[in-house]
């Protein structure tokens, strides 16, 4: 007699419908999650929202093609649907929103196939910017956290845990064949079977950086003669991760430390607008780099060209050579700020009348993703 197979999507929806508190969902994920069905994973976005998220979601108007229906009055559980056109079948599923490690962070969770996540959940979150803001993790933050996760996992499992990277989505700066001075960012996906340390070393040696990384977690038998796969996981720079099992270990040992870093960065960006400061301008923010990334006028010009691709904004460039000075207005948020490049190793961001944390995060994320990652801090004059 064969046992009945449990549909993990249906099991999650049943919990979402019946849970009396969000702790029941969290307990289920941490203690019972085990998915063995291809292409189905527990998927989670980490988002920023300052305020009462429940009230926002109950009052905000969702335009087609999205519909959002609350299915449980006790927790933030919803049936989300997106229909691309009248003839197509909708991408539909259930999402649950739980509190994160910080009062302004939330976890958007679903057990689903990739199609629902990519075609419904992700566009829904992006559509509702600036109310909902997806977080960003830097390359160095992910590398350090993943290596630390591996060490902490081995301490927990008596040095019997092994993590192998099986897929990498990576980027690199390349020169145009027709003009070597023209640079562009190429993206490619590769499949591998390397350790974390080998993967990071290979990427650095070849001048790549990654945006998504998929890995396998295996635990050795008591005799250590054989390793058994326990979970598949994936993590992205854009505030996203997924897994098939070992949710508790992944969240507590890897994701929660990253959330603390992201929360600290968002706190740095809060309260920067001149209006918020009682019309008293505050110090600019700076993105500093270890290398002299603006050591030539060509690099300054390249940065200006990159900003020209910043979506949902208007940009006025006052100077582009030999130094850079521009004003950017976020058309979806109403925020604005000036961007200055006066140093070989620094970008200054000067907030204007309104400069929300979400808008600052979005433009910094764009610079990190499309130009180069650096260190964000409050500018201190005289540190050149």
């Amino acid at each position: 007699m064969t046992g009945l197979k449990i549909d993990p999507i249906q099991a999650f929806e049943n919990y979402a419908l019946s849970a009396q508190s969000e702790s029941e969902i969290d307990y289920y994920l941490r203690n019972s999650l085990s998915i063995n069905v291809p292409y189905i994973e527990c998927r989670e976005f980490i988002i920023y929202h300052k305020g009462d998220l429940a009230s926002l979601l109950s009052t905000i108007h969702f335009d087609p093609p999205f519909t959002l229906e609350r299915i449980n009055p006790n927790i933030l559980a919803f049936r989300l649907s997106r229909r691309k056109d009248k003839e197509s079948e909708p991408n539909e599923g259930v999402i649950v929103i739980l509190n994160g490690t910080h009062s302004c962070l939330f976890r958007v969770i679903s057990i689903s196939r990739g199609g629902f996540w990519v075609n419904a959940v992700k566009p829904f979150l992006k559509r509702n910017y600036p109310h909902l803001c997806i977080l960003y993790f830097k390359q160095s933050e992910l590398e350090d956290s993943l290596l630390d996760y591996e060490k902490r996992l081995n301490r927990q499992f008596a040095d019997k845990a092994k993590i192998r990277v099986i897929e990498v989505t990576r980027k690199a700066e390349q020169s145009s064949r027709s003009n070597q001075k023209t640079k562009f960012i190429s993206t490619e996906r590769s499949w591998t079977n390397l350790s974390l340390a080998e993967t990071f070393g290979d990427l650095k040696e070849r001048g790549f950086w990654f945006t998504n990384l998929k890995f396998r977690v295996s635990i050795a038998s008591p005799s250590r003669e054989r390793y058994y796969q326990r979970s598949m996981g994936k993590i992205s720079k854009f505030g996203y991760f997924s897994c098939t099992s070992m949710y508790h270990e992944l969240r507590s040992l890897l994701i929660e430390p990253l959330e603390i870093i992201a929360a600290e960065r968002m706190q740095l960006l809060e309260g920067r607008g001149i209006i918020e400061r009682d019309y008293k301008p505050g110090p600019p923010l700076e993105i500093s780099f270890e290398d002299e990334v603006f050591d030539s006028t060509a690099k300054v010009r390249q940065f200006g060209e990159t900003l020209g691709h910043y979506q949902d904004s208007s940009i006025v460039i006052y100077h582009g050579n030999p130094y850079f000075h521009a004003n950017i207005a976020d058309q979806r948020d109403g925020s604005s700020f000036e961007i200055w490049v006066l140093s070989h190793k620094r970008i200054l961001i000067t907030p204007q009348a309104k400069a929300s944390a979400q808008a600052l995060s979005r433009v910094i994320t764009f610079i990190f993703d499309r130009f180069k990652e650096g260190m964000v801090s409050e500018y201190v004059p005289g540190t050149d």
Side-chain angles (χ1 to χ4, degrees), residues 172-307:
E173 184 181 74
Q174 297 188 3
S175 300
S176 170
R177 291 182 179 179
S178 59
N179 185 351
Q180 291 295 310
K181 293 183 179 181
T182 302
K183 305 291 184 181
F184 67 95
I185 303 297
S186 66
T187 302
E188 61 183 59
R189 185 166 60 165
S190 63
W191 289 264
T192 183
N193 185 25
L194 299 173
S195 69
L196 289 171
E198 289 170 333
T199 300
F200 300 149
D202 179 65
L203 289 169
K204 288 176 182 176
E205 184 177 331
R206 299 169 64 186
F208 287 101
W209 62 93
F210 71 86
T211 54
N212 301 299
L213 187 148
K214 191 173 184 179
F215 55 91
R216 179 192 300 113
V217 179
S218 302
I219 305 297
S221 63
S223 63
R224 300 179 187 269
E225 294 179 354
R226 188 174 178 182
Y227 280 85
Y228 296 90
Q229 179 178 311
R230 287 284 300 276
S231 182
M232 299 283 284
K234 185 175 183 179
I235 192 164
S236 166
K237 284 186 172 183
F238 299 98
Y240 159 79
F241 75 93
S242 67
C243 66
T244 58
S245 185
M246 298 182 71
Y247 178 90
H248 173 70
E249 288 80 6
L250 183 67
R251 171 146 267 289
S252 60
L253 302 181
L254 175 60
I255 303 304
E256 289 178 4
L258 282 168
E259 279 187 350
I260 293 171
I261 295 172
E264 290 175 350
R265 183 155 52 237
M266 294 304 294
Q267 283 182 306
L268 175 67
L269 304 182
E270 291 175 354
R272 292 284 165 178
I274 295 175
I275 294 176
E276 291 180 273
R277 303 174 68 94
D278 294 327
Y279 296 91
K280 298 175 183 177
L285 294 166
E286 71 169 14
I287 302 174
S288 57
F289 306 97
E290 292 184 0
D291 304 323
E292 293 191 348
V293 297
F294 299 112
D295 58 354
S296 67
T297 55
K299 292 289 183 66
V300 176
R301 185 164 52 250
Q302 180 190 347
F303 175 68
E305 292 171 353
T306 299
L307 280 185

